[in-house]
């Protein structure tokens, strides 16, 4: 890997066993990557990036303008999102074991009177994590026979720059826990995307053809996902 520096724009250039050139601007912070065939000379790669500078800047500007969630305080009547729907947080203070119940339009959190904001946050996060774990497991079970692959294990993690990732050699995938806040069809898109990397590890033409075959609406799903508000955490 090498870095192509053009003013304020830094491009990570990787040579791989591909037939075509792939230039990408990645959400949420506009990171730029270039994948070229092995024999591509550095000066050719640089010239290609220069020819695409206007497009790169346009994509980065769109990402910078993308809405971000305001920090959650985990207080009464605060808005929280689950599977793309808005719920109001209601808090009940009782000297019993903490619990969470999903109502028609509310998330009902029962905690002890001395429960701190950090503890409320952790309770909500672990609850959301359990929801996305169950949903992801169902989707993987559904798609394994369709794609002819086997996911040996999957992991959930807060990720700042990716919605998912795949370890091709181990047969595992990793999903961003923030997906629990997005519509379920977008979780399905990410799951299918990562599972197809078990067949084709890189984003080449073969991978695009696999996505077109098995998940034809993938481009729309990707656009929708990348236009939704990002988490309030500092993305680096």
């Amino acid at each position: 890997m090498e870095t192509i520096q053009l003013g304020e724009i830094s491009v990570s250039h990787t040579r791989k066993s591909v037939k075509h050139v792939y230039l990408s601007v990645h959400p949420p912070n506009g990171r730029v990557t270039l994948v070229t065939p092995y024999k591509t000379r550095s000066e050719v790669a640089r010239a290609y990036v220069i020819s695409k500078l206007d497009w790169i800047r346009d994509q980065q500007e769109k990402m910078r303008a993308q809405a971000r969630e305001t920090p959650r305080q985990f207080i009464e009547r605060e808005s929280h999102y689950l599977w793309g729907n808005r719920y109001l947080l209601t808090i009940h203070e009782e000297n019993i074991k903490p619990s969470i119940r999903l109502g028609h339009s509310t998330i009902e959190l029962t905690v002890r009177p001395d429960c701190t904001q950090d503890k409320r946050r952790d309770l909500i996060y672990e609850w959301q994590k359990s929801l996305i774990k169950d949903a992801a497991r169902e989707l993987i079970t559904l798609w394994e026979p369709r794609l002819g692959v086997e996911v040996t294990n999957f992991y959930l993690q807060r990720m700042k720059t990716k919605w998912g990732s795949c370890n091709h050699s181990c047969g595992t995938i990793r999903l961003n826990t923030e997906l629990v806040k997005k519509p379920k069809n977008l979780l399905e898109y990410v799951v299918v995307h990562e599972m197809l990397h078990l067949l084709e590890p890189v984003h080449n033409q073969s991978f695009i053809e696999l996505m077109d075959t098995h998940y034809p609406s993938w481009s729309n799903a990707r656009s929708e996902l990348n236009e939704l508000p990002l988490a309030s955490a500092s993305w680096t």
Side-chain angles (χ1 to χ4, degrees):
M1 181 181 293
E2 64 182 10
T3 299
I4 301 173
Q5 194 69 41
L6 298 170
E8 78 286 3
I9 294 177
S10 180
V11 181
S12 296
H13 176 209
T14 306
R15 295 175 177 84
K16 294 185 177 181
S17 180
V18 296
K19 294 181 179 179
H20 304 284
V21 174
Y22 299 93
L23 179 66
S24 303
V25 180
H26 302 272
N29 59 346
R31 178 175 58 91
V32 186
T33 61
L34 175 68
V35 177
T36 65
Y38 277 124
K39 294 183 179 180
T40 304
R41 301 192 308 275
S42 295
E43 59 269 27
V44 173
R46 184 180 181 86
Y48 179 79
V49 174
I50 290 173
S51 73
K52 299 293 184 179
L53 278 177
D54 287 345
W55 178 81
I56 292 172
R57 291 192 176 102
D58 181 61
Q59 296 300 306
Q60 288 181 330
E61 184 59 33
K62 289 178 180 177
M63 290 174 189
R64 293 188 188 105
Q66 188 174 354
R68 278 174 167 75
E69 296 178 0
T70 56
R72 303 292 92 173
Q73 301 298 317
F74 301 93
I75 57 177
E76 183 73 16
R77 304 294 292 175
E78 182 178 57
S79 294
H80 288 260
Y81 286 85
L82 181 67
W83 303 131
N85 297 313
R86 177 176 174 264
Y87 294 85
L88 293 179
L89 181 64
T90 64
I91 300 174
H92 308 288
E93 294 186 344
E94 299 182 41
N95 279 310
I96 59 176
K97 183 179 178 180
S99 63
I100 300 175
R101 177 182 176 274
L102 184 65
H104 175 68
S105 59
T106 59
I107 296 173
E108 300 176 14
L109 174 64
T110 299
V111 294
R112 294 187 173 91
D114 60 351
C115 187
T116 64
Q117 177 181 319
D118 287 347
K119 180 62 175 177
R120 292 176 183 177
R121 179 198 63 213
D122 292 344
L123 287 168
I124 294 290
Y125 174 73
E126 290 303 321
W127 174 68
Q128 291 175 330
K129 190 175 179 180
S130 70
L131 295 178
I132 194 171
K133 183 178 182 179
D134 290 342
R137 183 183 291 112
E138 289 181 6
L139 287 169
I140 291 170
T141 300
L142 174 68
W143 280 94
E144 279 181 326
R146 294 182 181 182
L147 304 180
V149 300
E150 180 181 355
V151 177
T152 59
N153 208 343
F154 72 96
Y155 304 94
L156 302 173
Q157 180 183 338
R158 285 172 172 155
M159 293 187 278
K160 293 184 177 182
T161 60
K162 295 180 179 181
W163 292 114
S165 63
C166 171
N167 187 323
H168 174 265
S169 60
C170 295
T172 62
I173 66 175
R174 194 174 299 272
L175 301 170
N176 191 333
T177 52
E178 284 293 303
L179 286 165
V180 75
K181 302 176 184 179
K182 314 306 180 187
K184 274 192 176 181
N185 68 297
L186 302 184
L187 170 63
E188 182 176 42
Y189 153 66
V190 175
V191 168
V192 173
H193 179 112
E194 301 309 332
M195 289 178 69
L196 283 175
H197 274 312
L198 298 176
L199 296 174
E200 179 50 69
V202 300
H203 290 109
N204 55 21
Q205 187 59 37
S206 295
F207 180 80
I208 293 173
E209 290 172 0
L210 285 170
M211 288 296 296
D212 286 341
T213 299
H214 296 285
Y215 207 87
S217 62
W218 70 269
S219 182
N220 291 334
R222 181 184 64 179
S223 297
E224 182 182 355
L225 181 59
N226 291 334
E227 288 171 3
L228 288 172
L230 302 171
S232 59
S234 176
W235 292 60
T236 57

